Amino acid sequence: MIDSGNLRSEDGLDVGDGRSHKPGDVRSVGRFDEERLMSVLDGILAGVREDLEQRKRATPLAELRSRAADVAPALDPLPAFRAPGVSIIAEVKRKSPSKGALADIPDPASLAAQYAAGGAAAISVLTESRRFGGSLADLDAVRARVDVPVLRKDFIVDPYQLWEARAHGADLALLMVVSLDDGRLTDLMGLCKELGLTPLVEAHTADEVRRAVAAGAELLGINARDLTTLDVDRTVFADLVTGIPEGAVRVAESGVTGPKDVAEYRGWGADVVLVGEALVRSGDPRSAVGEFIEAAGA
C-alpha cells in the first residue's frame, strides 16, 4: 500500500527494530526512539524520492502527461465496492520488509487473472522495488490482462507518481495519511480527481481517520496493525470504522489469514477487504478469493 525504515508488513510502519511506531506516539516510545523514528521516516522518504528523481530524469512529466492522455479512461471501482456483500482487493505481493520473500511471482498478470476469475473486485499491484520487489512493469502487465480496476500501491508523496499511475493504466492510487500533511493530501486527492484516479486514503489512527474524512475521502482504508508492536488486532478496525461517515466506502487492511477474518471484518462494517500475503501463499489464489467472499456472505 521498507528496509531503511521498513514501510509495512501488510500495512504497518516497521522501523526495523522488531517493533512498529508512528511519529509522535509518545505513549509507547521514548524520546530517543521517537527521534530515531523520525530519522527513519526521513530515510524512507529520502529513498522514495531518490528513486523518484531517477525516474523523473528518465521520463519527463510532459512525456507522462502525453502517455496518460493516450490510455483508456480509468475504471470507477466504487459501484462494485458499494454493491451488496464484501469486495476483495487482491494484491500482487512478492515480499514484505518484515517477512522477506512471500511468493515467487514470475507472472504477475497470470496471478491477477486468477484473482479476477475468483471474483476480486480490484487488483492491488505493489510498484515499490527496493522493499517489496514490485515495479511499474508489473502494473503494466496486470493492467493489460484484467478488466477489473487496478490499484497502484506505493509510497506516494509527489504528483509525478500519480501521473505515472495513470500513464501505466492504474485506476486507483494509495495515499497514506501518515506520510502526508493536510495540504499535500488535499492536493494529491485533487489531482487524483483530475486524472480520474480513485484515491484509497489509508489511516492508522483515529486522528488520521479524522484527517482523511476532512479531506473528503470516499474510499477510506483502516489498518489493523498496531504500529507500536507490529501485532495485529482486527478490533482496531471495529473501533475506528465508527469515524467514517455514511456514504464513504470502508476498507479493512491487514491481519487476514483466512476466510473467518474476512467475515469478521464484514461483520464490523467493512465494505472491502484488501488481502495480500494470505492470497499469494494460498497455493490456489482463485479459490481463496472465492472462499473469502463466500465466508463474508454466510
Side-chain angles (χ1 to χ4, degrees):
M1 152 7 160
I2 294 176
D3 265 347
S4 60
N6 299 330
L7 187 57
R8 293 175 315 209
S9 169
E10 281 298 333
D11 285 314
L13 180 63
D14 178 356
V15 302
D17 62 354
R19 294 174 292 163
S20 183
H21 311 284
K22 180 181 181 296
D25 189 355
V26 295
R27 295 170 301 172
S28 58
V29 187
R31 182 180 181 85
F32 172 80
D33 282 343
E34 187 177 359
E35 289 175 354
R36 178 176 181 272
L37 173 60
M38 292 305 293
S39 69
V40 168
L41 185 57
D42 287 343
I44 293 171
L45 295 174
V48 168
R49 290 190 171 105
E50 180 181 338
D51 293 344
L52 177 59
E53 288 307 313
Q54 291 178 359
R55 296 198 304 276
K56 285 182 175 180
R57 287 193 292 270
T59 307
L61 179 59
E63 183 177 338
L64 276 185
R65 289 174 177 265
S66 178
R67 291 183 187 178
D70 290 337
V71 300
L75 302 173
D76 182 359
L78 295 182
F81 289 170
R82 289 189 168 117
V86 71
S87 296
I88 298 294
I89 300 177
E91 190 157 270
V92 176
K93 185 175 188 178
R94 291 189 174 89
K95 63 181 183 177
S96 74
S98 293
K99 297 189 178 180
L102 299 174
D104 181 25
I105 306 175
D107 187 351
S110 177
L111 176 60
Q114 292 179 68
Y115 287 158
I123 310 298
S124 170
V125 181
L126 282 152
T127 58
E128 202 281 335
S129 61
R130 296 188 184 190
R131 300 93 181 176
F132 292 96
S135 68
L136 288 167
D138 288 348
L139 183 60
D140 289 334
V142 170
R143 171 71 288 159
R145 185 70 174 270
V146 300
D147 296 325
V148 297
V150 176
L151 164 70
R152 181 191 184 180
K153 193 173 184 188
D154 209 317
F155 205 104
I156 293 176
V157 294
D158 188 283
Y160 183 93
Q161 293 164 288
L162 295 179
W163 283 101
E164 280 183 321
R166 188 77 279 271
H168 288 268
D171 308 290
L172 304 94
L174 180 71
L175 299 179
M176 294 173 57
V177 176
V178 70
S179 65
L180 304 167
D181 63 30
D182 289 344
R184 178 50 61 98
L185 175 61
T186 299
D187 288 347
L188 291 178
M189 289 178 65
L191 181 56
C192 281
K193 183 175 181 179
E194 177 185 331
L195 296 176
L197 289 165
T198 298
L200 169 55
V201 183
E202 180 182 283
H204 304 291
T205 66
D207 183 62
E208 289 173 13
V209 170
R210 178 193 60 76
R211 291 176 56 207
V213 171
E218 289 186 85
L219 182 64
L220 206 158
I222 293 175
N223 187 336
R225 187 171 297 280
D226 185 333
L227 300 181
T228 66
T229 65
L230 279 183
D231 292 337
V232 170
D233 179 1
R234 283 183 299 277
T235 65
V236 170
F237 176 86
D239 292 339
L240 297 185
V241 74
T242 59
I244 301 178
E246 285 293 324
V249 175
R250 300 155 294 189
V251 184
E253 305 175 30
S254 294
V256 173
T257 60
K260 65 180 179 59
D261 300 326
V262 176
E264 189 168 52
Y265 275 138
R266 178 59 179 164
W268 287 328
D271 303 300
V272 182
V273 180
L274 190 152
V275 188
E277 181 180 335
L279 288 175
V280 299
R281 287 183 158 175
S282 69
D284 187 350
R286 175 176 178 169
S287 295
V289 171
E291 289 167 6
F292 289 170
I293 296 170
E294 183 179 354

